[in-house]
Amino acid sequence: MAEKLALVGIGKIARDQHIPAIGANPDWSLEAAVSRHATVEGIDHFETLDALLETRPDITTVSLAIPPQPRFAYAAAALRAGRNVMLEKPPGQSLAECYALEALAKENGVTIFATWHSRHADCVPDLKAWLAERTLKKLTITWKEDVRLWHPGQEWIWEPGGMGVFDPGINALSILTEILPHPVHLSGATLEFPENRDTPIAARLEFADPSGAPMTADFDWRQEGPQTWNIEIDTDRGSARLSLGGERLEIDGALVKQGANHEYANLYARMAALVKAGESDMDLSPMIHVCDAFSLGKRVVTAPFHY
């Protein structure tokens, strides 16, 4: 029998990704939506999460597709009500919030899942398997996109807790922490803040690899024209290039796999498996890199940004 699920936050990502993925998975039945401004045809609508939790005790799982700033309060309420919780990335606006939610889930005997959709892109497992048999020599991440295209008019990303360019950049970090055969840590960062904003529009990161391999990430939200989501790797036995955010993989210059947009389908399949097993997945390694970047980063003030 399908688990009954409620989706909180009916914005662009919910309509483009969450709703189609839920509808295509027989393990889930979308029963309700929570939003102050939008509805989903054919299912119950609630303006507040409290109203949902009180009215629909039969709904076992809540998926949160809302900005990170209010997410802790929503997730905590759902967990205390005994509901499983699925968190859109990033899982919170601070590590302390995330650890507190993990503890709440355990205390209430329910599942919590910190999702990293780019980690579930089609070619990521292939690159991970390829790299596991080789010695890393160099890794370069280039993650550049146009904020006006992907976040039109969304002021929350420029406010404290919104993370700025790390909202997309954390996607690259989720892939990095998945494919590497060993952990790395941030050793330095430069963050560019528009003079009228509280979060960065660009970032340059450097990592300390145990074997000494140079490893950098370059994030920028000012890219116009073609968008760039690439990870390039040199090893002792060849090179690899992951592009399109994880949907295309080249080895030694030759295309070996071209995937499709299955990230959210894979996320909901993973959530279903966790619920059935009574387990949780709160891997916070991508978030740790972001928090370290804000801690270690040199701040550079740049031109003001306006939509």
Side-chain angles (χ1 to χ4, degrees):
M1 181 179 295
E3 291 280 341
K4 295 181 180 180
L5 180 142
L7 182 60
V8 180
I10 309 300
K12 187 178 188 302
I13 193 67
R15 295 195 185 278
D16 291 350
Q17 300 290 351
H18 287 265
I19 293 174
I22 296 165
N25 190 322
D27 289 325
W28 297 109
S29 172
L30 182 58
E31 297 281 326
V34 177
S35 174
R36 290 175 296 173
H37 309 294
T39 61
V40 178
E41 185 176 358
I43 64 173
D44 280 352
H45 171 256
F46 298 89
E47 291 191 359
T48 68
L49 178 61
D50 287 343
L52 165 78
L53 296 174
E54 181 178 352
T55 306
R56 293 293 305 268
D58 57 316
I59 290 177
T60 61
T61 300
V62 174
S63 181
L64 299 178
I66 55 177
Q69 290 96 329
R71 197 174 300 155
F72 176 81
Y74 279 74
L79 293 169
R80 290 189 179 107
R83 316 301 172 93
N84 307 306
V85 171
M86 185 169 173
L87 301 166
E88 177 63 86
K89 65 85 192 174
Q93 61 177 347
S94 73
L95 282 172
E97 286 186 350
C98 296
Y99 287 125
L101 291 177
E102 186 176 22
L104 266 177
K106 184 175 182 179
E107 178 183 332
N108 289 277
V110 292
T111 292
I112 190 167
F113 180 23
T115 70
W116 304 106
H117 64 81
S118 291
R119 184 179 281 183
H120 291 263
D122 286 346
C123 295
V124 172
D126 303 89
L127 179 58
K128 180 178 181 178
W130 179 87
L131 186 57
E133 300 177 349
R134 289 162 174 81
T135 300
L136 181 67
K137 295 298 183 182
K138 182 180 181 181
L139 186 148
T140 304
I141 296 173
T142 307
W143 222 258
K144 298 183 178 182
E145 61 182 56
D146 185 351
V147 65
R148 292 181 174 89
L149 176 64
W150 298 101
H151 293 277
Q154 294 182 11
E155 293 294 333
W156 63 265
I157 56 175
W158 301 107
E159 297 169 357
M163 296 194 179
V165 76
F166 286 104
D167 180 79
I170 205 168
N171 295 333
L173 298 176
S174 74
I175 296 175
L176 175 73
T177 51
E178 176 68 13
I179 64 173
L180 288 179
H182 51 259
V184 298
H185 67 269
L186 201 74
S187 58
T190 300
L191 311 182
E192 296 185 36
F193 287 76
E195 64 178 28
N196 63 331
R197 301 292 179 173
D198 292 320
T199 56
I201 198 167
R204 173 79 174 179
L205 311 181
E206 298 178 357
F207 300 87
D209 176 69
S211 64
M215 189 178 301
T216 60
D218 189 6
F219 304 152
D220 202 312
W221 245 355
R222 298 166 293 196
Q223 176 130 317
E224 298 179 0
Q227 309 287 276
T228 305
W229 304 292
N230 296 341
I231 299 178
E232 297 178 273
I233 299 174
D234 292 331
T235 74
D236 62 332
R237 291 190 288 125
S239 62
R241 184 174 186 264
L242 187 73
S243 58
L244 299 179
E247 291 185 7
R248 180 182 175 91
L249 178 61
E250 299 165 79
I251 303 294
D252 295 328
L255 177 64
V256 297
K257 187 172 183 179
Q258 177 69 61
N261 187 5
H262 296 140
E263 295 176 13
Y264 279 81
N266 293 338
L267 286 181
Y268 278 95
R270 172 67 172 154
M271 182 63 177
L274 288 171
V275 170
K276 289 177 182 177
E279 299 175 350
S280 292
D281 182 351
M282 278 291 282
D283 177 27
L284 299 176
S285 52
M287 187 87 166
I288 290 171
H289 288 316
V290 172
C291 291
D292 284 354
F294 279 104
S295 177
L296 297 175
K298 176 183 177 182
R299 182 185 178 112
V300 176
V301 178
T302 61
F305 173 83
H306 300 283
Y307 281 108

